[in-house]
C-alpha cells in the first residue's frame, strides 16, 4: 500500500455568517485594473484592456481582525479593497448568463500588494507572484451567502487606514461585471468549487505602515480588517 510521504497543510478556510459553515479555499484568482480611475492612477488605459488575471496561493488567506507581522521585503505595502466572489461550482466556458448560478456568496477582501516589488516586475516584464502572493496577502472577511445578500451590484467600496479614508468607490464603477469576469476566466481555466475571485480595486491605493490598522468595507457585507505589528 503506497503512502503519501509529504502532506501539505490543509486548505485555508473562510468563515461564513453561519457559524456551522466554512468555505475551503481552493484557488485565489484576482482581477487587475477593474475600476477606471484606478487604471488611470496606475498609468494604464481603462478602455482598451481585457481583464488581467493573476493568482495568490490559498495559503495567503488571513481572516479579518488578525494582527500580523509586517510583510518582509517591502517598504511600500499597499491596500486594495475588493469585492470577493466565492464559487460553489464551476466549469469551463461558462456563459455570462449562467455565471451567477455558480456563486456561493460574497465577502470583502484586501489584496495586499508589495507595490515596490510589483513596480520592478512591471518595468522588467517579470511575474507579479512575489508582489501579490506572499503570506497573509489576502485578507478576507466573513462570507455572506447569496441567499442572504443576493448579488451586490451597487454599494460603497471603502478602505481606511487608522480611520483616514483612502479609497471610496462604488461597485457600479467596475469595468467588468462579476458574470463577465467569471465567463472570461472560465475560458482560461476550468473553475471549481472553492475558487475565489478578488474583483479589483477602486482608485486611491496607497501605503500602510507598521502598527497601522487597515479597514476595508463594502455596503451590506462584513468588514475585512488587518493590523500590522513590527
Ligand atoms: Mn487588486
Amino acid at each position: 500500500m503506497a503512502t503519501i510521504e509529504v502532506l501539505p497543510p490543509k486548505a485555508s478556510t473562510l468563515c461564513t455568517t453561519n457559524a456551522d459553515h466554512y468555505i475551503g479555499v481552493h484557488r485565489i484568482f484576482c482581477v487587475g485594473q477593474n475600476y477606471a480611475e484606478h487604471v488611470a492612477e496606475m498609468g494604464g488605459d481603462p478602455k482598451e484592456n481585457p481583464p488581467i488575471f493573476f493568482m495568490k496561493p490559498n495559503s495567503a488567506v488571513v481572516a479579518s481582525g488578525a494582527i500580523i507581522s509586517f510583510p518582509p521585503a517591502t517598504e511600500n505595502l499597499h491596500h486594495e479593497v475588493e469585492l470577493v466572489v466565492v464559487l460553489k461550482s464551476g466549469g469551463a466556458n461558462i456563459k455570462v448568463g449562467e455565471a451567477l448560478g455558480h456563486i456561493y456568496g460574497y465577502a470583502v477582501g484586501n489584496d495586499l500588494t508589495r507595490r515596490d516589488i510589483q513596480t520592478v516586475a512591471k518595468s522588467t516584464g517579470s511575474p507579479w507572484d512575489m508582489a501579490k502572493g506572499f503570506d497573509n496577502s489576502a485578507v478576507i472577511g466573513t462570507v455572506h451567502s447569496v441567499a442572504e445578500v443576493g448579488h451586490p451590484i451597487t454599494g460603497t467600496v471603502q478602505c481606511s487606514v487608522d480611520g483616514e479614508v483612502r479609497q471610496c468607490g462604488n461597485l457600479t464603477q467596475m469595468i467588468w461585471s462579476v458574470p463577465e469576469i467569471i465567463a472570461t476566466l472560465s475560458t482560461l481555466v476550468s473553475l471549481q468549487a472553492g475558487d475565489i475571485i478578488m474583483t479589483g480595486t477602486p482608485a486611491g491605493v496607497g501605503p500602510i505602515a507598521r502598527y497601522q490598522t487597515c479597514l476595508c468595507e463594502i455596503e451590506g457585507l462584513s468588514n475585512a480588517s488587518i493590523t500590522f505589528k513590527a
Side-chain angles (χ1 to χ4, degrees):
M1 178 81 177
T3 58
I4 297 174
E5 191 149 344
V6 177
L7 275 178
K10 287 181 180 170
S12 299
T13 55
L14 302 177
C15 293
T16 74
T17 52
N18 182 331
D20 293 329
H21 293 174
Y22 289 86
I23 305 293
V25 179
H26 184 219
R27 297 171 294 186
I28 305 173
F29 296 98
C30 304
V31 182
Q33 308 194 343
N34 200 29
Y35 288 75
E37 288 178 28
H38 173 61
V39 176
E41 78 180 347
M42 301 305 289
D45 179 346
K47 299 293 178 205
E48 297 303 321
N49 302 320
I52 295 166
F53 294 104
F54 60 91
M55 296 180 72
K56 296 173 186 269
N58 66 17
S59 56
V61 168
V62 58
S64 177
I67 302 170
I68 61 172
S69 296
F70 196 81
T74 186
E75 291 303 327
N76 195 16
L77 180 71
H78 274 205
H79 51 78
E80 296 190 356
V81 56
E82 316 209 350
L83 178 70
V84 179
V85 177
V86 177
L87 298 185
K88 64 179 181 184
S89 56
N93 302 312
I94 296 168
K95 293 182 172 63
V96 170
E98 294 167 0
L100 293 180
H102 293 284
I103 297 174
Y104 170 86
Y106 296 87
V108 178
N110 190 348
D111 167 18
L112 292 174
T113 302
R114 294 194 281 214
R115 194 71 74 199
D116 37 7
I117 293 179
Q118 188 194 31
T119 300
V120 171
K122 282 183 173 179
S123 70
T124 56
S126 303
W128 291 8
D129 301 47
M130 292 301 109
K132 290 288 196 178
F134 53 95
D135 297 344
N136 299 321
S137 62
V139 189
I140 312 284
T142 300
V143 178
H144 297 254
S145 69
V146 169
E148 186 186 346
V149 296
H151 296 282
I153 53 170
T154 181
T156 304
V157 180
Q158 183 167 299
C159 178
S160 50
V161 177
D162 283 354
E164 178 195 336
V165 176
R166 297 278 191 82
Q167 295 180 268
C168 188
N170 196 290
L171 293 175
T172 57
Q173 298 165 333
M174 288 171 68
I175 297 169
W176 301 92
S177 69
V178 167
E180 288 168 338
I181 290 167
I182 290 172
T184 304
L185 184 55
S186 75
T187 67
L188 299 166
V189 293
S190 183
L191 291 169
Q192 297 179 11
D195 287 340
I196 71 174
I197 305 169
M198 305 185 78
T199 59
T201 197
V205 300
I208 317 165
R210 291 168 175 82
Y211 305 111
Q212 288 189 316
T213 296
C214 185
L215 175 65
C216 294
E217 304 170 274
I218 296 177
E219 221 173 322
L221 300 174
S222 297
N223 299 335
S225 164
I226 195 79
T227 299
F228 293 97
K229 301 185 286 189

